[in-house]
Amino acid sequence: IGAISIILIASIISKYWKVSLHMLGIGGLFGILISLNILFGGMEEIMVLTLLLAGVLGIARINEKAHSYMQIYVGFIVGASVEVIAILLF
């Protein structure tokens, strides 16, 4: 449900504004890890590693001049938020 929601949101946003699909994906992964940590615990190390990798990915997208900072931030936050909501509500 979360992944389908992210794809739908990305397609709507992309009609009007450019958003980083890479950051939507890794943000979704981070959102899954947040949700699993809330539900079961023990995911702190993996969450930190994923956050660091997301930073590296975001910097790479900026250096390639593929996206602006806002497009990177919005992609990550939307991806993480959608997954947290999807997992914790369903």
Side-chain angles (χ1 to χ4, degrees):
I1 293 174
I4 292 170
S5 299
I6 289 173
I7 292 169
L8 290 174
I9 291 170
S11 65
I12 293 168
I13 291 174
S14 294
K15 285 184 177 184
Y16 306 102
W17 190 59
K18 188 175 177 184
V19 66
S20 175
L21 300 179
H22 291 87
M23 295 307 290
L24 279 165
I26 200 159
L29 174 62
F30 189 71
I32 291 170
L33 294 173
I34 289 172
S35 301
L36 291 176
N37 191 49
I38 290 170
L39 295 173
F40 305 111
M43 295 287 186
E44 291 84 8
E45 294 87 9
I46 298 172
M47 288 172 50
V48 170
L49 178 62
T50 303
L51 194 58
L52 290 172
L53 291 174
V56 170
L57 178 62
I59 290 170
R61 300 301 294 164
I62 296 278
N63 286 342
E64 289 182 2
K65 296 183 182 9
H67 296 286
S68 69
Y69 286 99
M70 188 59 69
Q71 294 164 345
I72 297 292
Y73 295 143
V74 168
F76 184 80
I77 291 169
V78 168
S81 300
V82 169
E83 283 294 344
V84 167
I85 291 168
I87 291 175
L88 294 181
L89 289 181
F90 299 107

